[in-house]
Amino acid sequence: MEDLIEILKDLHADVDYDTCETLIDDKILDSFDIVSIVSEVDDKFDVAIPAKELIPENFNSAKALWALIERLMED
């Protein structure tokens, strides 16, 4: 998860990703950030995030995003 936090901090260093659970709801992450995250996750974890998984629930927190990555790595 540390690698994921680094990816997120590169986008917005001032956010506490360990506790924030409203990254999408509070408009901290926008569509450009999501595109960057998807690309970085693919590069770093060798996981392609399918379009059907591009929903706010999967990106509202680092924990939710990490759970998505773990789920996709298992498949």
Side-chain angles (χ1 to χ4, degrees), residues 4 7 11 31-50 54 59 65 69:
L4 174 60
I7 291 169
L11 296 172
S31 58
F32 294 109
D33 294 330
I34 299 301
V35 170
S36 295
I37 292 167
V38 168
S39 175
E40 291 288 326
V41 164
D42 188 17
D43 290 347
K44 189 74 168 177
F45 301 102
D46 196 28
V47 172
I49 298 176
L54 298 177
F59 291 85
L65 186 52
I69 292 167

Side-chain angles (χ1 to χ4, degrees), residues 57-69:
E57 292 82 14
N58 287 335
F59 291 85
N60 237 347
S61 70
K63 290 174 191 160
L65 186 52
W66 183 246
L68 171 64
I69 292 167

Side-chain angles (χ1 to χ4, degrees), residues 5-23:
I5 297 293
E6 287 302 313
I7 291 169
L8 296 171
K9 286 197 177 288
D10 284 345
L11 296 172
H12 300 280
D14 58 329
V15 176
D16 181 2
Y17 291 102
D18 293 318
T19 61
C20 186
E21 296 186 356
T22 56
L23 296 172

